């Protein structure tokens, strides 16, 4: 791993240690998997994965996410979400992701807080700022932190770090 990427990952690890107890909004994608791996390595049991059980997410994706979290050694909470009950989401407007993520983050954050975790992290990376992402606004409104983005880690760096850390979905 090159020195620049090591330094960026060290910044994430430092931020994790400062936060102390974190819940990772976990989808099983490479971005949230890297955040979960870094959080678990830095904090152990003080880091958990919180993931949505939703008709919007296929069962095979949930099963793959659970396998990866188990490989990492992280505890995982599956949370039932109800975005399909929101008429604004079901109407399928251009900003439907905002309504979906609002519902999902509401549920994930409530479950995390019930377990004593006050900080919710997501897998947003530095490359995710350049396009239209209404779901990002929902995450910000919920107070989710994006440590990959804060450290300037790009998608290519996420994949490289995930590969070098042995994550199966790099």
């Amino acid at each position: 791993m090159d020195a620049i990427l090591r330094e960026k990952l060290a910044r994430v690890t430092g931020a994790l240690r400062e936060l102390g107890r974190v819940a990772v909004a976990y989808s099983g994608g490479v971005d949230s998997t890297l955040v979960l791996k870094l959080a678990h390595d830095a904090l152990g049991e003080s880091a958990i994965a919180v993931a949505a059980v939703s008709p919007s997410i296929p069962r095979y994706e949930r099963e793959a996410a659970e396998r990866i979290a188990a490989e990492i050694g992280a505890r995982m909470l599956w949370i039932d979400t109800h975005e399909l009950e929101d008429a604004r989401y079901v109407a399928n407007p251009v900003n439907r992701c905002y309504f979906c993520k609002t519902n999902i983050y509401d549920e994930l954050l409530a479950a995390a807080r019930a377990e004593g975790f006050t900080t919710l992290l997501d897998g947003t990376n530095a490359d995710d700022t350049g396009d239209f992402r209404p779901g990002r606004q929902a995450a910000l409104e919920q107070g989710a932190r994006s440590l990959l983005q804060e450290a300037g880690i790009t998608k290519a760096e996420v994949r490289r770090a995930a590969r070098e850390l042995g994550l199966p979905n790099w």
Side-chain angles (χ1 to χ4, degrees):
M1 188 175 311
D2 67 64
I4 293 171
L5 182 53
R6 270 196 313 273
E7 153 53 32
K8 290 178 180 183
L9 293 173
R11 278 187 281 186
V12 172
T13 299
L16 287 163
R17 289 192 177 122
E18 285 179 20
L19 292 169
R21 288 180 58 82
V22 300
V24 177
Y26 178 63
S27 67
V30 67
D31 301 305
S32 64
T33 298
L34 179 60
V35 174
L36 182 61
K37 169 74 171 154
L38 296 171
H40 181 71
D41 287 355
L43 303 173
E45 293 296 315
S46 292
I48 62 168
V50 288
V53 176
S54 163
S56 301
I57 302 168
R59 182 173 193 75
Y60 71 89
E61 286 184 15
R62 292 194 310 264
E63 290 169 353
E66 190 161 359
R67 276 192 307 275
I68 295 169
E71 284 181 32
I72 291 170
R75 185 164 69 100
M76 188 165 184
L77 299 177
W78 288 104
I79 312 303
D80 289 318
T81 60
H82 308 283
E83 65 273 13
L84 291 179
E85 297 171 15
D86 187 333
R88 300 167 302 171
Y89 173 67
V90 174
N92 204 28
V94 68
N95 66 338
R96 68 191 166 277
C97 194
Y98 171 81
F99 301 115
C100 177
K101 292 290 187 182
T102 296
N103 283 289
I104 288 174
Y105 277 104
D106 280 346
E107 299 288 340
L108 296 183
L109 190 54
R113 285 185 174 149
E115 294 278 328
F117 295 87
T118 56
T119 302
L120 185 65
L121 306 177
D122 69 12
T124 302
N125 66 64
D127 288 338
D128 291 336
T129 59
D131 55 356
F132 179 64
R133 291 185 178 253
R136 180 76 188 122
Q137 182 61 37
L140 292 172
E141 289 173 5
Q142 294 294 333
R145 294 275 308 268
S146 304
L147 299 181
L148 300 177
Q149 183 183 53
E150 291 173 23
I153 297 174
T154 66
K155 185 67 166 197
E157 290 172 322
V158 165
R159 291 198 183 283
R160 193 164 65 244
R163 183 180 68 234
E164 293 188 29
L165 292 170
L167 299 174
N169 59 349
W170 62 269

